[in-house]
Amino acid sequence: MATPPVNQWKTLDKDLKRIGRLEEATQFVARPLVAPGLAIAFIVLAGVVAGLVMGAQPGHLIVVAAAVIGAYMALNIGANDVANNMGPAVGANALTLGGALIIAAVFETAGALIAGGDVVKTVSTGILAPGAVSDSAHFIWAMMAALLAAALWLHLATWLGAPVSTTHSIVGGVVGAGVVAAGVGAVNWGALGSIALSWVISPVLGGVVAAAFLAFIKARIMYVEDKIAAARLWVPVLIGIMAGAFAAYLAIKGLNKLFHVSLGLATLIGLATGVLCWAASVPLIRHQSEGLENRKRSLRKLFSLPLVASAALLSFAHGANDVANAVGPLAAIVHSVEVGDIASTVGIPVWVMVVGALGISVGLMLFGPKLIRLVGSEITKLNPMRAYCVALSAAVTVIVASWLGLPVSSTHIAVGAIFGVGFYREWHAERRARMLGLQKGKPVPPEERSRRRLVRRSHMLTVAAAWIVTVPASAGLSALLYLLMIAFAR
């Protein structure tokens, strides 16, 4: 067989290089389309499932459309809200981004399916009185408009890089559609006022509690002579506090779905769990601390595992609590189509709960990394100790707020806790610089201290603005969508 000429080999090599470059270019262009494509596939699948479940029942197309919107809402909840649970652990390098996505997806789904509400109010937090809407048709369109408006607002907030409250988004949607459908009097403005109050209460409480825990860790562990001995004493105590707070929180949010759990009973459950976890963690921390150098860097190892556990528990609690934001209105629509009336509470069908649970996890996997990075590393620098304070603040603040009867948002608490940790770091760094300067006879000038900012102010302004406009923006969008739906339905 004759050997091809050298020129022919060169031509073949050039052609292969062109094909290789073309393949690389195709992959580069197609890569950004993978996540939206998978999201669209999930939304279509939700619609298909709804169609198969409903069959040829009257109004089945409405349920299919509602399932599509509900799946879209669940995707956006996963993309936006879950970052508050996993961001600190990723920012502290206790978890890789991939590990965080897997853990969050598993625990979000488990929380939604195991402890998610079997019965929810048809409209979030009783904002709209069902009896105020004239008939079930208008109620269905109002719920669809509210759900779609909340999903669109969450999508925009995620694109802008602003973590917002999904509960506030759906409440705003219900208010907007409810005012147009039933008038201003149909809205419970007192409940809406409590939600507005939570804009201030939640981040302030979260920030103060997180800063207080960080101050305690610095004073009792980080800045003492024997750091390892101090850690052996206090880290198990902090683990017990975390375990107790989460046990009480999950008792209220999870067990309360099965039987009534009073705040006193939840507190007892939390105390018992906290004591048991403290006792179990004492030998564990002692074993982990063996051979560690007496340095602040060594302490990070002792906080990493508790931080991962707290992030997983936060995801479980979030899945149990916030899945209703995606499937509550959808369940109300299914009930109205099947029964033909408007009920104050409705049961959530299994297929509806599965759509919500899987949607949150899929949205997290596809679109969550952007906000996880922002929350974890772009507001202030986190290490395992600081991130642990954020997680601890989120659990403790919710329990304290429930005890005091204060309206709070878990999203606002977590983000407020990160800002609280950052601002405390600024204050503490300036204080130490001033003290060291005075000791050396070289006071640090104010202009030098002002440059030591450890919190990005631009993110604070973006997040605060997004929080303030969430309810009005979703309400206005919902009102417009409701009018369009009614016009097309005629």
Side-chain angles (χ1 to χ4, degrees), residues 428-458:
H428 190 264
E430 181 180 344
R431 178 170 171 267
R432 284 181 60 83
R434 186 165 59 249
M435 291 175 61
L436 291 173
L438 291 174
Q439 290 173 6
K440 297 177 181 178
K442 298 178 180 180
V444 180
E447 60 272 13
E448 176 66 21
R449 295 202 306 266
S450 66
R451 286 200 291 268
R452 298 179 181 179
R453 292 188 170 182
L454 303 177
V455 179
R456 294 185 65 176
R457 267 62 172 177
S458 59

PDB file of all heavy atoms in Angstrom, residues 428-458:
ATOM      1  N   HIS A 428     -13.803  45.208  65.405  1.00  0.00           N
ATOM      2  CA  HIS A 428     -12.782  44.551  66.221  1.00  0.00           C
ATOM      3  C   HIS A 428     -11.390  44.830  65.672  1.00  0.00           C
ATOM      4  O   HIS A 428     -10.436  45.080  66.444  1.00  0.00           O
ATOM      5  CB  HIS A 428     -13.047  43.044  66.260  1.00  0.00           C
ATOM      6  CG  HIS A 428     -12.210  42.300  67.236  1.00  0.00           C
ATOM      7  ND1 HIS A 428     -11.043  41.652  66.880  1.00  0.00           N
ATOM      8  CD2 HIS A 428     -12.336  42.105  68.579  1.00  0.00           C
ATOM      9  CE1 HIS A 428     -10.504  41.087  67.941  1.00  0.00           C
ATOM     10  NE2 HIS A 428     -11.266  41.338  69.000  1.00  0.00           N
ATOM     11  N   ALA A 429     -11.241  44.816  64.341  1.00  0.00           N
ATOM     12  CA  ALA A 429      -9.933  45.081  63.733  1.00  0.00           C
ATOM     13  C   ALA A 429      -9.501  46.518  63.997  1.00  0.00           C
ATOM     14  O   ALA A 429      -8.323  46.783  64.308  1.00  0.00           O
ATOM     15  CB  ALA A 429      -9.989  44.816  62.230  1.00  0.00           C
ATOM     16  N   GLU A 430     -10.432  47.457  63.892  1.00  0.00           N
ATOM     17  CA  GLU A 430     -10.096  48.857  64.152  1.00  0.00           C
ATOM     18  C   GLU A 430      -9.721  49.059  65.624  1.00  0.00           C
ATOM     19  O   GLU A 430      -8.781  49.778  65.951  1.00  0.00           O
ATOM     20  CB  GLU A 430     -11.279  49.754  63.783  1.00  0.00           C
ATOM     21  CG  GLU A 430     -11.001  51.226  64.013  1.00  0.00           C
ATOM     22  CD  GLU A 430     -12.172  52.106  63.647  1.00  0.00           C
ATOM     23  OE1 GLU A 430     -13.075  51.624  62.935  1.00  0.00           O
ATOM     24  OE2 GLU A 430     -12.185  53.270  64.083  1.00  0.00           O
ATOM     25  N   ARG A 431     -10.457  48.392  66.501  1.00  0.00           N
ATOM     26  CA  ARG A 431     -10.190  48.516  67.938  1.00  0.00           C
ATOM     27  C   ARG A 431      -8.801  47.975  68.275  1.00  0.00           C
ATOM     28  O   ARG A 431      -8.038  48.601  69.027  1.00  0.00           O
ATOM     29  CB  ARG A 431     -11.266  47.767  68.711  1.00  0.00           C
ATOM     30  CG  ARG A 431     -11.093  47.762  70.220  1.00  0.00           C
ATOM     31  CD  ARG A 431     -12.342  47.194  70.876  1.00  0.00           C
ATOM     32  NE  ARG A 431     -12.156  46.977  72.303  1.00  0.00           N
ATOM     33  CZ  ARG A 431     -11.757  45.848  72.851  1.00  0.00           C
ATOM     34  NH1 ARG A 431     -11.520  44.791  72.068  1.00  0.00           N
ATOM     35  NH2 ARG A 431     -11.602  45.721  74.164  1.00  0.00           N
ATOM     36  N   ARG A 432      -8.458  46.816  67.719  1.00  0.00           N
ATOM     37  CA  ARG A 432      -7.136  46.240  67.985  1.00  0.00           C
ATOM     38  C   ARG A 432      -6.029  47.098  67.388  1.00  0.00           C
ATOM     39  O   ARG A 432      -4.974  47.281  68.000  1.00  0.00           O
ATOM     40  CB  ARG A 432      -7.059  44.816  67.410  1.00  0.00           C
ATOM     41  CG  ARG A 432      -7.791  43.789  68.255  1.00  0.00           C
ATOM     42  CD  ARG A 432      -7.655  42.397  67.649  1.00  0.00           C
ATOM     43  NE  ARG A 432      -6.270  41.971  67.541  1.00  0.00           N
ATOM     44  CZ  ARG A 432      -5.556  41.435  68.514  1.00  0.00           C
ATOM     45  NH1 ARG A 432      -6.103  41.262  69.712  1.00  0.00           N
ATOM     46  NH2 ARG A 432      -4.301  41.055  68.326  1.00  0.00           N
ATOM     47  N   ALA A 433      -6.267  47.629  66.182  1.00  0.00           N
ATOM     48  CA  ALA A 433      -5.263  48.493  65.568  1.00  0.00           C
ATOM     49  C   ALA A 433      -5.037  49.749  66.406  1.00  0.00           C
ATOM     50  O   ALA A 433      -3.898  50.199  66.589  1.00  0.00           O
ATOM     51  CB  ALA A 433      -5.695  48.874  64.156  1.00  0.00           C
ATOM     52  N   ARG A 434      -6.114  50.307  66.933  1.00  0.00           N
ATOM     53  CA  ARG A 434      -5.999  51.506  67.749  1.00  0.00           C
ATOM     54  C   ARG A 434      -5.245  51.206  69.048  1.00  0.00           C
ATOM     55  O   ARG A 434      -4.382  51.959  69.478  1.00  0.00           O
ATOM     56  CB  ARG A 434      -7.393  52.058  68.045  1.00  0.00           C
ATOM     57  CG  ARG A 434      -7.364  53.393  68.772  1.00  0.00           C
ATOM     58  CD  ARG A 434      -8.723  54.082  68.735  1.00  0.00           C
ATOM     59  NE  ARG A 434      -9.763  53.265  69.342  1.00  0.00           N
ATOM     60  CZ  ARG A 434     -10.763  52.693  68.691  1.00  0.00           C
ATOM     61  NH1 ARG A 434     -10.849  52.848  67.377  1.00  0.00           N
ATOM     62  NH2 ARG A 434     -11.678  51.975  69.309  1.00  0.00           N
ATOM     63  N   MET A 435      -5.584  50.046  69.679  1.00  0.00           N
ATOM     64  CA  MET A 435      -4.920  49.691  70.938  1.00  0.00           C
ATOM     65  C   MET A 435      -3.432  49.409  70.721  1.00  0.00           C
ATOM     66  O   MET A 435      -2.578  49.858  71.490  1.00  0.00           O
ATOM     67  CB  MET A 435      -5.607  48.473  71.548  1.00  0.00           C
ATOM     68  CG  MET A 435      -7.012  48.745  72.069  1.00  0.00           C
ATOM     69  SD  MET A 435      -7.836  47.245  72.651  1.00  0.00           S
ATOM     70  CE  MET A 435      -6.719  46.754  73.980  1.00  0.00           C
ATOM     71  N   LEU A 436      -3.116  48.653  69.647  1.00  0.00           N
ATOM     72  CA  LEU A 436      -1.715  48.351  69.368  1.00  0.00           C
ATOM     73  C   LEU A 436      -0.944  49.620  69.028  1.00  0.00           C
ATOM     74  O   LEU A 436       0.221  49.783  69.415  1.00  0.00           O
ATOM     75  CB  LEU A 436      -1.618  47.344  68.221  1.00  0.00           C
ATOM     76  CG  LEU A 436      -2.097  45.919  68.529  1.00  0.00           C
ATOM     77  CD1 LEU A 436      -2.095  45.071  67.267  1.00  0.00           C
ATOM     78  CD2 LEU A 436      -1.201  45.275  69.588  1.00  0.00           C
ATOM     79  N   GLY A 437      -1.602  50.531  68.297  1.00  0.00           N
ATOM     80  CA  GLY A 437      -0.950  51.793  67.954  1.00  0.00           C
ATOM     81  C   GLY A 437      -0.647  52.623  69.181  1.00  0.00           C
ATOM     82  O   GLY A 437       0.433  53.212  69.300  1.00  0.00           O
ATOM     83  N   LEU A 438      -1.588  52.671  70.112  1.00  0.00           N
ATOM     84  CA  LEU A 438      -1.368  53.434  71.339  1.00  0.00           C
ATOM     85  C   LEU A 438      -0.272  52.813  72.187  1.00  0.00           C
ATOM     86  O   LEU A 438       0.523  53.516  72.819  1.00  0.00           O
ATOM     87  CB  LEU A 438      -2.676  53.505  72.143  1.00  0.00           C
ATOM     88  CG  LEU A 438      -3.795  54.350  71.512  1.00  0.00           C
ATOM     89  CD1 LEU A 438      -5.076  54.217  72.318  1.00  0.00           C
ATOM     90  CD2 LEU A 438      -3.373  55.812  71.423  1.00  0.00           C
ATOM     91  N   GLN A 439      -0.215  51.459  72.198  1.00  0.00           N
ATOM     92  CA  GLN A 439       0.832  50.790  72.969  1.00  0.00           C
ATOM     93  C   GLN A 439       2.217  51.094  72.409  1.00  0.00           C
ATOM     94  O   GLN A 439       3.193  51.229  73.145  1.00  0.00           O
ATOM     95  CB  GLN A 439       0.593  49.285  72.970  1.00  0.00           C
ATOM     96  CG  GLN A 439      -0.614  48.844  73.791  1.00  0.00           C
ATOM     97  CD  GLN A 439      -0.912  47.362  73.635  1.00  0.00           C
ATOM     98  OE1 GLN A 439      -0.149  46.647  72.993  1.00  0.00           O
ATOM     99  NE2 GLN A 439      -2.006  46.907  74.223  1.00  0.00           N
ATOM    100  N   LYS A 440       2.306  51.218  71.078  1.00  0.00           N
ATOM    101  CA  LYS A 440       3.594  51.489  70.444  1.00  0.00           C
ATOM    102  C   LYS A 440       3.869  52.980  70.302  1.00  0.00           C
ATOM    103  O   LYS A 440       4.913  53.385  69.778  1.00  0.00           O
ATOM    104  CB  LYS A 440       3.638  50.829  69.056  1.00  0.00           C
ATOM    105  CG  LYS A 440       3.548  49.307  69.093  1.00  0.00           C
ATOM    106  CD  LYS A 440       3.524  48.731  67.688  1.00  0.00           C
ATOM    107  CE  LYS A 440       3.418  47.211  67.713  1.00  0.00           C
ATOM    108  NZ  LYS A 440       3.351  46.638  66.344  1.00  0.00           N
ATOM    109  N   GLY A 441       2.920  53.794  70.733  1.00  0.00           N
ATOM    110  CA  GLY A 441       3.098  55.236  70.600  1.00  0.00           C
ATOM    111  C   GLY A 441       2.897  55.735  69.196  1.00  0.00           C
ATOM    112  O   GLY A 441       3.328  56.841  68.846  1.00  0.00           O
ATOM    113  N   LYS A 442       2.245  54.927  68.343  1.00  0.00           N
ATOM    114  CA  LYS A 442       1.991  55.321  66.953  1.00  0.00           C
ATOM    115  C   LYS A 442       0.508  55.137  66.651  1.00  0.00           C
ATOM    116  O   LYS A 442       0.100  54.124  66.070  1.00  0.00           O
ATOM    117  CB  LYS A 442       2.824  54.473  65.987  1.00  0.00           C
ATOM    118  CG  LYS A 442       4.325  54.628  66.168  1.00  0.00           C
ATOM    119  CD  LYS A 442       5.073  53.719  65.202  1.00  0.00           C
ATOM    120  CE  LYS A 442       6.571  53.855  65.381  1.00  0.00           C
ATOM    121  NZ  LYS A 442       7.327  52.963  64.450  1.00  0.00           N
ATOM    122  N   PRO A 443      -0.329  56.069  67.051  1.00  0.00           N
ATOM    123  CA  PRO A 443      -1.776  55.944  66.789  1.00  0.00           C
ATOM    124  C   PRO A 443      -2.057  55.827  65.291  1.00  0.00           C
ATOM    125  O   PRO A 443      -1.427  56.493  64.467  1.00  0.00           O
ATOM    126  CB  PRO A 443      -2.355  57.238  67.363  1.00  0.00           C
ATOM    127  CG  PRO A 443      -1.323  57.720  68.332  1.00  0.00           C
ATOM    128  CD  PRO A 443      -0.005  57.294  67.771  1.00  0.00           C
ATOM    129  N   VAL A 444      -2.998  54.953  64.949  1.00  0.00           N
ATOM    130  CA  VAL A 444      -3.385  54.771  63.547  1.00  0.00           C
ATOM    131  C   VAL A 444      -4.300  55.922  63.143  1.00  0.00           C
ATOM    132  O   VAL A 444      -5.322  56.165  63.795  1.00  0.00           O
ATOM    133  CB  VAL A 444      -4.114  53.428  63.343  1.00  0.00           C
ATOM    134  CG1 VAL A 444      -4.506  53.246  61.892  1.00  0.00           C
ATOM    135  CG2 VAL A 444      -3.218  52.288  63.789  1.00  0.00           C
ATOM    136  N   PRO A 445      -3.940  56.678  62.109  1.00  0.00           N
ATOM    137  CA  PRO A 445      -4.788  57.810  61.715  1.00  0.00           C
ATOM    138  C   PRO A 445      -6.150  57.345  61.219  1.00  0.00           C
ATOM    139  O   PRO A 445      -6.287  56.231  60.705  1.00  0.00           O
ATOM    140  CB  PRO A 445      -3.992  58.464  60.581  1.00  0.00           C
ATOM    141  CG  PRO A 445      -3.084  57.390  60.073  1.00  0.00           C
ATOM    142  CD  PRO A 445      -2.759  56.538  61.252  1.00  0.00           C
ATOM    143  N   PRO A 446      -7.185  58.195  61.335  1.00  0.00           N
ATOM    144  CA  PRO A 446      -8.546  57.798  60.916  1.00  0.00           C
ATOM    145  C   PRO A 446      -8.637  57.383  59.462  1.00  0.00           C
ATOM    146  O   PRO A 446      -9.342  56.451  59.114  1.00  0.00           O
ATOM    147  CB  PRO A 446      -9.375  59.053  61.209  1.00  0.00           C
ATOM    148  CG  PRO A 446      -8.583  59.800  62.237  1.00  0.00           C
ATOM    149  CD  PRO A 446      -7.159  59.511  61.950  1.00  0.00           C
ATOM    150  N   GLU A 447      -7.884  58.097  58.570  1.00  0.00           N
ATOM    151  CA  GLU A 447      -7.977  57.745  57.146  1.00  0.00           C
ATOM    152  C   GLU A 447      -7.412  56.362  56.869  1.00  0.00           C
ATOM    153  O   GLU A 447      -7.866  55.655  55.967  1.00  0.00           O
ATOM    154  CB  GLU A 447      -7.261  58.791  56.280  1.00  0.00           C
ATOM    155  CG  GLU A 447      -5.776  58.950  56.570  1.00  0.00           C
ATOM    156  CD  GLU A 447      -5.509  59.971  57.679  1.00  0.00           C
ATOM    157  OE1 GLU A 447      -6.483  60.349  58.372  1.00  0.00           O
ATOM    158  OE2 GLU A 447      -4.360  60.385  57.829  1.00  0.00           O
ATOM    159  N   GLU A 448      -6.424  55.928  57.667  1.00  0.00           N
ATOM    160  CA  GLU A 448      -5.882  54.583  57.507  1.00  0.00           C
ATOM    161  C   GLU A 448      -6.875  53.545  57.996  1.00  0.00           C
ATOM    162  O   GLU A 448      -7.076  52.504  57.372  1.00  0.00           O
ATOM    163  CB  GLU A 448      -4.571  54.450  58.277  1.00  0.00           C
ATOM    164  CG  GLU A 448      -3.962  53.051  58.255  1.00  0.00           C
ATOM    165  CD  GLU A 448      -3.503  52.627  56.876  1.00  0.00           C
ATOM    166  OE1 GLU A 448      -3.273  53.511  56.026  1.00  0.00           O
ATOM    167  OE2 GLU A 448      -3.406  51.408  56.637  1.00  0.00           O
ATOM    168  N   ARG A 449      -7.542  53.827  59.128  1.00  0.00           N
ATOM    169  CA  ARG A 449      -8.517  52.890  59.658  1.00  0.00           C
ATOM    170  C   ARG A 449      -9.723  52.761  58.736  1.00  0.00           C
ATOM    171  O   ARG A 449     -10.314  51.697  58.603  1.00  0.00           O
ATOM    172  CB  ARG A 449      -8.986  53.341  61.050  1.00  0.00           C
ATOM    173  CG  ARG A 449      -7.894  53.326  62.085  1.00  0.00           C
ATOM    174  CD  ARG A 449      -8.476  53.233  63.486  1.00  0.00           C
ATOM    175  NE  ARG A 449      -9.447  54.262  63.753  1.00  0.00           N
ATOM    176  CZ  ARG A 449      -9.172  55.434  64.342  1.00  0.00           C
ATOM    177  NH1 ARG A 449      -7.929  55.702  64.700  1.00  0.00           N
ATOM    178  NH2 ARG A 449     -10.120  56.311  64.575  1.00  0.00           N
ATOM    179  N   SER A 450     -10.111  53.849  58.075  1.00  0.00           N
ATOM    180  CA  SER A 450     -11.289  53.805  57.205  1.00  0.00           C
ATOM    181  C   SER A 450     -11.072  52.918  55.998  1.00  0.00           C
ATOM    182  O   SER A 450     -12.026  52.462  55.377  1.00  0.00           O
ATOM    183  CB  SER A 450     -11.665  55.222  56.759  1.00  0.00           C
ATOM    184  OG  SER A 450     -10.639  55.758  55.918  1.00  0.00           O
ATOM    185  N   ARG A 451      -9.802  52.677  55.632  1.00  0.00           N
ATOM    186  CA  ARG A 451      -9.533  51.823  54.461  1.00  0.00           C
ATOM    187  C   ARG A 451      -9.645  50.349  54.804  1.00  0.00           C
ATOM    188  O   ARG A 451      -9.646  49.503  53.932  1.00  0.00           O
ATOM    189  CB  ARG A 451      -8.142  52.131  53.902  1.00  0.00           C
ATOM    190  CG  ARG A 451      -8.057  53.440  53.157  1.00  0.00           C
ATOM    191  CD  ARG A 451      -6.844  53.446  52.247  1.00  0.00           C
ATOM    192  NE  ARG A 451      -5.599  53.488  53.000  1.00  0.00           N
ATOM    193  CZ  ARG A 451      -4.960  54.600  53.325  1.00  0.00           C
ATOM    194  NH1 ARG A 451      -5.469  55.782  52.978  1.00  0.00           N
ATOM    195  NH2 ARG A 451      -3.822  54.559  54.002  1.00  0.00           N
ATOM    196  N   ARG A 452      -9.729  50.012  56.072  1.00  0.00           N
ATOM    197  CA  ARG A 452      -9.783  48.612  56.487  1.00  0.00           C
ATOM    198  C   ARG A 452     -11.226  48.135  56.547  1.00  0.00           C
ATOM    199  O   ARG A 452     -11.703  47.672  57.579  1.00  0.00           O
ATOM    200  CB  ARG A 452      -9.085  48.451  57.834  1.00  0.00           C
ATOM    201  CG  ARG A 452      -7.608  48.818  57.779  1.00  0.00           C
ATOM    202  CD  ARG A 452      -6.955  48.680  59.146  1.00  0.00           C
ATOM    203  NE  ARG A 452      -5.543  49.064  59.078  1.00  0.00           N
ATOM    204  CZ  ARG A 452      -4.716  49.073  60.109  1.00  0.00           C
ATOM    205  NH1 ARG A 452      -5.166  48.702  61.300  1.00  0.00           N
ATOM    206  NH2 ARG A 452      -3.472  49.441  59.979  1.00  0.00           N
ATOM    207  N   ARG A 453     -11.917  48.263  55.472  1.00  0.00           N
ATOM    208  CA  ARG A 453     -13.306  47.828  55.411  1.00  0.00           C
ATOM    209  C   ARG A 453     -13.349  46.356  55.016  1.00  0.00           C
ATOM    210  O   ARG A 453     -12.750  45.957  54.025  1.00  0.00           O
ATOM    211  CB  ARG A 453     -14.101  48.678  54.426  1.00  0.00           C
ATOM    212  CG  ARG A 453     -14.288  50.117  54.895  1.00  0.00           C
ATOM    213  CD  ARG A 453     -15.234  50.875  53.996  1.00  0.00           C
ATOM    214  NE  ARG A 453     -15.583  52.155  54.579  1.00  0.00           N
ATOM    215  CZ  ARG A 453     -16.439  53.015  54.025  1.00  0.00           C
ATOM    216  NH1 ARG A 453     -17.014  52.707  52.869  1.00  0.00           N
ATOM    217  NH2 ARG A 453     -16.713  54.163  54.616  1.00  0.00           N
ATOM    218  N   LEU A 454     -14.076  45.597  55.803  1.00  0.00           N
ATOM    219  CA  LEU A 454     -14.130  44.153  55.591  1.00  0.00           C
ATOM    220  C   LEU A 454     -15.490  43.699  55.081  1.00  0.00           C
ATOM    221  O   LEU A 454     -15.746  42.505  54.983  1.00  0.00           O
ATOM    222  CB  LEU A 454     -13.800  43.441  56.904  1.00  0.00           C
ATOM    223  CG  LEU A 454     -12.444  43.798  57.522  1.00  0.00           C
ATOM    224  CD1 LEU A 454     -12.256  43.095  58.852  1.00  0.00           C
ATOM    225  CD2 LEU A 454     -11.307  43.455  56.567  1.00  0.00           C
ATOM    226  N   VAL A 455     -16.379  44.630  54.760  1.00  0.00           N
ATOM    227  CA  VAL A 455     -17.695  44.323  54.212  1.00  0.00           C
ATOM    228  C   VAL A 455     -17.886  45.149  52.936  1.00  0.00           C
ATOM    229  O   VAL A 455     -17.613  46.349  52.924  1.00  0.00           O
ATOM    230  CB  VAL A 455     -18.824  44.667  55.213  1.00  0.00           C
ATOM    231  CG1 VAL A 455     -20.185  44.357  54.599  1.00  0.00           C
ATOM    232  CG2 VAL A 455     -18.646  43.894  56.505  1.00  0.00           C
ATOM    233  N   ARG A 456     -18.368  44.503  51.897  1.00  0.00           N
ATOM    234  CA  ARG A 456     -18.624  45.215  50.635  1.00  0.00           C
ATOM    235  C   ARG A 456     -19.949  45.950  50.729  1.00  0.00           C
ATOM    236  O   ARG A 456     -21.020  45.345  50.757  1.00  0.00           O
ATOM    237  CB  ARG A 456     -18.625  44.234  49.463  1.00  0.00           C
ATOM    238  CG  ARG A 456     -17.276  43.601  49.213  1.00  0.00           C
ATOM    239  CD  ARG A 456     -17.276  42.727  47.983  1.00  0.00           C
ATOM    240  NE  ARG A 456     -17.504  43.485  46.769  1.00  0.00           N
ATOM    241  CZ  ARG A 456     -17.468  42.965  45.546  1.00  0.00           C
ATOM    242  NH1 ARG A 456     -17.229  41.676  45.393  1.00  0.00           N
ATOM    243  NH2 ARG A 456     -17.682  43.710  44.492  1.00  0.00           N
ATOM    244  N   ARG A 457     -19.873  47.279  50.786  1.00  0.00           N
ATOM    245  CA  ARG A 457     -21.078  48.095  50.946  1.00  0.00           C
ATOM    246  C   ARG A 457     -22.014  48.010  49.745  1.00  0.00           C
ATOM    247  O   ARG A 457     -23.226  48.121  49.897  1.00  0.00           O
ATOM    248  CB  ARG A 457     -20.687  49.566  51.152  1.00  0.00           C
ATOM    249  CG  ARG A 457     -20.553  50.016  52.594  1.00  0.00           C
ATOM    250  CD  ARG A 457     -19.480  49.298  53.333  1.00  0.00           C
ATOM    251  NE  ARG A 457     -19.259  49.891  54.658  1.00  0.00           N
ATOM    252  CZ  ARG A 457     -18.406  49.423  55.538  1.00  0.00           C
ATOM    253  NH1 ARG A 457     -17.691  48.341  55.241  1.00  0.00           N
ATOM    254  NH2 ARG A 457     -18.268  49.988  56.720  1.00  0.00           N
ATOM    255  N   SER A 458     -21.471  47.794  48.558  1.00  0.00           N
ATOM    256  CA  SER A 458     -22.321  47.747  47.365  1.00  0.00           C
ATOM    257  C   SER A 458     -23.311  46.599  47.459  1.00  0.00           C
ATOM    258  O   SER A 458     -24.483  46.736  47.079  1.00  0.00           O
ATOM    259  CB  SER A 458     -21.461  47.604  46.107  1.00  0.00           C
ATOM    260  OG  SER A 458     -20.676  46.412  46.165  1.00  0.00           O
TER     261      SER A 458
END
